Amino acid sequence: MTTYPHLLAPLDLGFTTLKNRVLMGSMHTGLEETKDWNRVAEFYAARARGGVGLMVTGGMAPNNEGGVFPGAAGLFSDADISNHKIVTDRVHDAGGKIAMQILHAGRYAYSPDCVSSSAVKSPISPFPPKALDADGIEKQISDIVTAAARAREAGYDGVEVMGSEGYFLNQFLVTHVNKREDEWGGSYENRMRLPVEVVRRVREAVGPDFILIYRLSMIDLIPNGSTWAEVVQLAKAIEAGGATILNTGIGWHEARIPTIATSVPRRAFTWVTKKLMGEVSIPVITSNRINTPQVGEDVLADGCADMVSMARPFLADPDFVAKAAAGQATQIAPCIACNQACLDHTFSGKMSSCLVNPRACHETELVLTPASHPKSIAVVGAGPAGLSTALALAERGHKVSIFDKADQLGGQLNMAKQVPGKEEFWGLVDYYKAQVARAGIDLHLGVTADVAALADFDDVVIATGVTPRDPKIEGQDGPNVLSYIDVLRHKAPVGQRVAVIGAGGIGFDVAEYLVTDGSPTEDLQAWLEEWGVADPSDARGGVAPQGPKPDAPVREVTLLQRKAQKLGKNLGKTTGWIHRATLQMKSVKMVGGVNYERIDAQGLHVSYGEARENPELIAVDTIVLCAGQLPERSLADALIAAGRTPHVIGGADVAAELDAKRAIDQGTRLAATL
Ligand code: NAP
Ligand code: SF4
């Protein structure tokens, strides 16, 4: 008997059966744009070998105007079919099933050629769309239908028609965008005509024995979004139009409510999908912040859906399902929902990967082959850099010992996990513990390794991390001054009024920690209220009329930096706005362009600009230093002085702009070469 009977149960679709209830949701990785179809095929085949029931590809444009950006991958021509066939053949050989997502971006397309229901520009694109005329609409339908027919020819098991997240089809549904007065606008009957017509004609073109998923926006999270009655009406019409499965979409991309970031509670929106259960007779998939087999199992056992969609968890671990089925859930590399290597890359025009699994989307290039001459290797430092190196070395057959002067592994991850909204880091540390034990790595915690202790190893990897930068402010040795380590690691008492010096990732984290009591991420109701999410049966689009209702801040915090630019400018591309909004909701004062003059018993004295004008006292009880970090290289230097050539990685190598993503990637890549 499996631990996950609901998750691993087959799903009979009539003409075909999925082997379990897990869908790998669509992700735009950038792989298809490389046109290296072997690489694309290997990405999907690895996930097929890992046992997932059904995969959906990244969004494929049906035509040029529908592409997310000019040159976005699609199925425009019959010539593309043979490329896609490389992927579907490889997936089928691996025992998997795969559907192609058809994504028409409408006014979200980053292109002057973008089109929509009406000429209403989106707040997240600089390009106003052209309002389509009736012929233009017919062309879009026909292109989507042609793409579906080509997908069938290319060997896909189905298509997913992307109707949510504020893309083209969604743009017809709501009056927020659709201002038309013809048969495609006005009444809801008219506004939903396009998605229903698309589904009907796709079904007509592909025949009955082909999976047709429709991704339906169940809670728009924008003003003037759909009502719940409209969602149900659409779902029924889509079912009648011939869809096989309904997938859940949560929030438009322009919504100012987070939907998948790490601070969003796990399974935060499955209650929305549950409302649709019983309204239609085809299977319904739920989605968003489901990242462990147990969460997936609970969601299904609670009757929230017939199937769960997980996307990013399959970047973190292609073998998610196989490991769950084998009772090895602790061995699953967890997606911590950080977006750092996946969505942040996508939105920066870079290839996606994964912070915890740098091999994601690099399957053909970053390969951990068995070592030809297994060596004895010491890794000093049990933070993300050291751990990823040690695990990859062990996987290659080397004999590995880890040393760390701390009495627990995880390094700075242990501080990150203290921050409200970063609870997923607990799971990452637990994963590393389980992996180190499984790999039989010799673990020396609470041990300060020196040159003599490392003498007998064939190779030494230095991953000793960082030390806090000394900002050299007059008075910083006073009793009212703490470092971020005192606050996050040693839980030092902090006064009621606080100045945080330094507004990098750590300054933001510390500010969030200081203003929050408990963590809304651990309390779904509190989180929904904090961000102003309502039941879509009570409020259009699920946007609470009273707006966000955060708890009062537990401290009065001022966050400072010397640069004159906006604070948090260098935070994650897709998550920086959430951190800024969270602090704004907690009335954190953000001040840039300061000079730190001195600290005394009254607080922090600052001035402004190069001329050091407008001297001011920021009267606070505590000042917390978060002024960046410097490499900790003393052991590396001692080894070099003793004639050794250690490999220096992570923060010990370069501290600036250090994050776990770079550390893990660098460690894994080094291990692949030793
Ligand atoms: P950081 O991002 O480099 O920020 C350092 C801050 O200290 C800056 O605001 C900087 O602003 C200020 N600073 C630099 N030199 C200073 C000096 N001499 N005196 C006073 N202030 C000074 O470093 P961090 O905040 O320590 O974070 C370390 C790394 O961890 C970051 O690179 C980040 O990527 C990662 N991290 C990421 C996250 C995340 O959410 N993704 C969270 C935590 C940490 P001014 O120079 O303008 O004063
Ligand atoms: Fe998940 Fe972060 Fe990896 Fe993206 S980069 S898949 S969010 S762990």
Side-chain angles (χ1 to χ4, degrees):
M1 172 70 178
T2 161
T3 323
Y4 312 111
H6 294 86
L7 196 70
L8 300 178
L11 180 63
D12 185 358
L13 298 175
F15 55 91
T16 188
T17 299
L18 306 181
K19 56 185 163 195
N20 52 57
R21 305 296 180 107
V22 184
L23 178 91
M24 179 175 113
S26 175
M27 286 178 283
H28 194 89
T29 58
L31 275 171
E32 285 86 355
E33 280 79 14
T34 65
K35 303 200 189 316
D36 180 346
W37 291 94
N38 177 50
R39 184 174 175 181
V40 183
E42 190 42 41
F43 171 79
Y44 288 109
R47 275 85 197 154
R49 287 193 293 274
V52 63
L54 177 63
M55 294 180 282
V56 181
T57 66
M60 295 292 139
N63 53 26
N64 281 314
E65 59 271 33
V68 178
F69 51 84
L75 247 184
F76 304 129
S77 65
D78 289 341
D80 286 335
I81 291 174
S82 52
N83 293 329
H84 284 258
K85 193 133 195 351
I86 298 170
V87 177
T88 56
D89 283 347
R90 196 84 60 86
V91 166
H92 293 149
D93 288 348
K97 284 192 165 51
I98 185 164
M100 189 189 85
Q101 188 187 72
I102 304 174
L103 169 64
H104 190 309
R107 68 179 194 147
Y108 279 172
Y110 197 82
S111 156
D113 299 328
C114 64
V115 297
S116 189
S117 51
S118 302
V120 179
K121 195 180 95 59
S122 105
I124 58 170
S125 165
F127 301 104
K130 187 177 129 218
L132 289 163
D133 60 16
D135 287 348
I137 291 174
E138 172 53 34
K139 175 184 183 301
Q140 306 311 312
I141 298 173
S142 157
D143 288 348
I144 292 171
V145 170
T146 305
R150 287 195 183 118
R152 177 159 194 151
E153 237 182 289
Y156 285 103
D157 300 280
V159 288
E160 175 173 82
V161 174
M162 182 47 158
S164 65
E165 260 73 6
Y167 287 115
F168 181 62
L169 299 179
N170 225 176
Q171 291 159 23
F172 276 72
L173 285 169
V174 296
T175 55
H176 179 71
V177 184
N178 187 342
K179 313 287 182 195
R180 305 178 72 94
E181 289 172 356
D182 61 2
E183 60 177 328
W184 304 100
S187 67
Y188 189 65
E189 198 71 33
N190 280 354
R191 300 200 309 273
M192 73 176 207
R193 189 182 307 281
L194 177 64
V196 174
E197 189 62 7
V198 163
V199 167
R200 193 187 63 73
R201 285 181 45 191
V202 166
R203 173 56 75 206
E204 206 174 72
V206 295
D209 55 347
F210 192 65
I211 299 170
L212 199 176
I213 308 168
Y214 183 83
R215 183 125 169 236
L216 193 152
S217 182
M218 295 199 194
I219 182 166
D220 292 331
L221 301 176
I222 53 154
N224 298 320
S226 294
T227 63
W228 184 251
E230 288 168 350
V231 167
V232 173
Q233 190 182 341
L234 177 64
K236 290 181 176 195
I238 294 287
E239 176 180 18
T244 322
I245 300 174
L246 283 174
N247 194 0
T248 300
I250 303 290
W252 285 40
H253 284 323
E254 67 201 69
R256 292 291 87 181
I257 293 168
T259 54
I260 58 166
T262 192
S263 56
V264 176
R266 285 179 173 180
R267 57 173 292 191
F269 294 98
T270 56
W271 58 274
V272 182
T273 313
K274 188 175 186 180
K275 289 164 67 71
L276 197 66
M277 294 294 280
E279 299 280 6
V280 288
S281 53
I282 51 176
V284 177
I285 305 176
T286 193
S287 173
N288 288 49
R289 288 291 281 118
I290 298 166
N291 67 341
T292 73
Q294 192 59 54
V295 175
E297 175 66 18
D298 293 346
V299 164
L300 296 179
D302 292 349
C304 297
D306 301 292
M307 200 170 173
V308 293
S309 170
M310 292 179 253
R312 298 170 298 170
F314 285 98
L315 291 177
D317 199 329
D319 297 319
F320 184 105
V321 175
K323 288 178 183 174
Q328 297 167 347
T330 56
Q331 306 293 344
I332 295 173
C335 167
I336 57 172
C338 63
N339 285 357
Q340 281 178 251
C342 51
L343 279 172
D344 285 350
H345 278 207
T346 305
F347 284 95
S348 314
K350 290 197 267 182
M351 172 70 66
S352 281
S353 187
C354 173
L355 177 141
V356 301
N357 173 24
R359 294 203 60 232
C361 301
H362 297 276
E363 282 80 7
T364 54
E365 161 248 327
L366 178 52
V367 185
L368 299 175
T369 50
S372 46
H373 302 289
K375 294 191 272 191
S376 145
I377 303 180
V379 176
V380 186
L387 288 168
S388 56
T389 314
L391 289 169
L393 287 170
E395 187 174 331
R396 297 192 56 218
H398 292 298
K399 174 153 179 35
V400 185
S401 300
I402 300 181
F403 297 84
D404 199 304
K405 61 180 187 317
D407 59 4
Q408 56 179 338
L409 56 75
Q412 299 230 64
L413 298 177
N414 290 309
M415 278 194 285
K417 72 188 190 188
Q418 306 298 334
V419 177
K422 292 205 164 174
E423 288 78 10
E424 291 292 351
F425 281 94
W426 287 88
L428 185 55
V429 174
D430 288 345
Y431 162 73
Y432 278 129
K433 282 184 191 158
Q435 286 293 302
V436 166
R438 185 195 57 89
I441 291 171
D442 227 355
L443 190 56
H444 304 269
L445 293 176
V447 175
T448 304
D450 57 15
V451 174
L454 301 171
D456 293 336
F457 289 95
D458 300 325
D459 250 320
V460 177
V461 177
I462 296 294
T464 43
V466 293
T467 49
R469 177 187 285 126
D470 178 355
K472 298 191 170 59
I473 302 170
E474 186 189 328
Q476 69 179 28
D477 297 330
N480 53 349
V481 182
L482 299 172
S483 80
Y484 63 88
I485 299 174
D486 298 324
V487 175
L488 294 178
R489 183 170 292 157
H490 304 305
K491 308 276 176 202
V494 179
Q496 200 52 35
R497 301 165 308 158
V498 190
V500 175
I501 290 184
I506 292 181
F508 266 78
D509 275 359
V510 166
E512 219 156 313
Y513 173 85
L514 291 175
V515 292
T516 315
D517 184 19
S519 172
T521 303
E522 304 275 81
D523 178 347
L524 178 58
Q525 206 45 45
W527 184 87
L528 294 171
E529 279 170 29
E530 171 167 44
W531 286 95
V533 181
D535 188 322
S537 298
D538 302 332
R540 269 194 178 273
V543 177
Q546 72 275 18
K549 271 195 153 182
D551 280 348
V554 295
R555 287 187 185 80
E556 210 179 289
V557 171
T558 307
L559 179 61
L560 303 119
Q561 72 178 19
R562 297 171 306 171
K563 288 184 284 291
Q565 69 189 27
K566 183 170 81 173
L567 273 72
K569 193 165 175 269
N570 298 329
L571 295 175
K573 201 153 177 92
T574 62
T575 52
W577 70 271
I578 302 171
H579 294 296
R580 275 192 298 275
T582 303
L583 294 192
Q584 272 154 7
M585 286 198 287
K586 298 284 189 185
S587 307
V588 170
K589 238 172 108 184
M590 300 194 204
V591 187
V594 298
N595 308 299
Y596 305 114
E597 297 296 348
R598 66 181 189 286
I599 293 168
D600 60 21
Q602 269 87 51
L604 173 65
H605 295 262
V606 297
S607 64
Y608 293 88
E610 277 182 28
R612 307 190 94 87
E613 290 165 332
N614 305 322
E616 185 191 351
L617 166 68
I618 301 177
V620 290
D621 309 306
T622 309
I623 291 116
V624 185
L625 304 178
C626 307
Q629 305 173 323
L630 298 172
E632 171 47 67
R633 299 180 59 107
S634 46
L635 180 58
D637 292 342
L639 284 165
I640 292 165
R644 303 287 304 263
T645 45
H647 307 276
V648 184
I649 60 165
D653 176 27
V654 181
E657 301 296 317
L658 169 72
D659 60 30
K661 180 184 79 175
R662 177 159 63 76
I664 293 171
D665 185 70
Q666 192 182 15
T668 310
R669 285 179 187 277
L670 170 69
T673 63
L674 291 182

